């Protein structure tokens, strides 16, 4: 008799509002704290997950403080174990970190997927590590439901893993702070 494989899901939550989100600066891998509003957003996301009856077996989170704090607030509410996942760290934008998000030079550089932003990480390298993580969860996850708490750049790559996207769609894709997105693993 064959046992039915449990349908696994990936839930993604972008961290709460950070100080540099408010200042409209490129955060990337720079470790920037949440605002008080960001902490409240994280708590609200935890409450929403609980209200929706979503069963999370494990929360994996970026080690950057804005994501780690968001994950911690959610975990307290839904009572799920936390596992730090370095592969969920936001892309390093090299010389552009701390600059205005709408910088023309940055937007042009960001359209080049092999560009490492002079000391950062290329989009292709970012995709490699996130795709490897998702492949690991798919192959070795044992049918668990995972909540991944990370960053907007990570959200784009995760979405592109599950859906075909043009370069323009990829560049335009984003999620709001503490938005919950669901994918079938």
């Amino acid at each position: 008799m064959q046992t039915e494989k449990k349908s696994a899901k990936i839930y993604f939550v972008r961290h709460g509002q950070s100080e540099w989100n408010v200042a409209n600066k490129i955060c990337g891998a720079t470790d920037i704290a949440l605002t008080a509003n960001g902490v409240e957003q994280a708590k609200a996301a935890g409450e929403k997950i609980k209200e929706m009856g979503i069963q999370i077996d494990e929360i994996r989170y970026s080690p950057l403080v804005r994501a780690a704090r968001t994950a911690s607030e959610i975990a307290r509410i839904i009572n799920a174990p936390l596992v730090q996942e370095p592969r969920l760290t936001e892309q390093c934008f090299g010389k552009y970190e701390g600059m205005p998000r709408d910088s023309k030079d940055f937007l042009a550089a960001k359209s080049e997927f092999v560009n490492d932003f002079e000391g950062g990480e290329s989009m292709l390298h970012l995709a490699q590590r996130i795709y490897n993580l998702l492949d690991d969860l798919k192959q070795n996850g044992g049918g668990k439901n995972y909540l991944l708490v990370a960053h907007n750049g990570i959200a784009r790559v995760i979405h592109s893993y599950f859906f075909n996207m043009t370069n323009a769609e990829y560049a335009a894709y984003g999620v709001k702070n503490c938005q919950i997105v669901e994918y079938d693993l």
Side-chain angles (χ1 to χ4, degrees), residues 56-146:
I56 300 296
D57 297 302
E58 187 175 285
I59 299 172
R60 297 226 178 160
Y61 64 95
S62 160
L64 296 177
V65 69
R66 58 194 184 269
R69 177 74 188 272
T70 301
S72 175
E73 295 296 338
I74 292 170
R76 273 194 265 283
I77 293 166
I78 67 171
N79 195 29
L82 288 164
V83 176
Q84 188 180 83
E85 176 53 72
R87 290 178 287 185
L88 289 172
T89 302
E90 179 63 295
Q91 181 178 10
C92 178
F93 293 112
K95 72 177 189 175
Y96 296 104
E97 300 223 356
M99 291 180 68
R101 293 200 65 75
D102 54 1
S103 160
K104 288 181 184 176
D105 288 345
F106 172 67
L107 295 175
K110 199 172 165 186
S111 70
E112 302 294 330
F113 285 12
V114 294
N115 186 339
D116 75 357
F117 309 101
E118 296 180 33
E121 178 182 28
S122 76
M123 202 73 68
L124 293 180
H125 280 117
L126 172 67
Q128 177 187 21
R129 70 177 157 92
I130 298 303
Y131 282 18
N132 287 347
L133 168 62
L134 294 170
D135 285 345
D136 287 350
L137 295 178
K138 191 178 214 177
Q139 293 167 8
N140 307 315
K144 290 181 181 178
N145 289 336
Y146 292 93

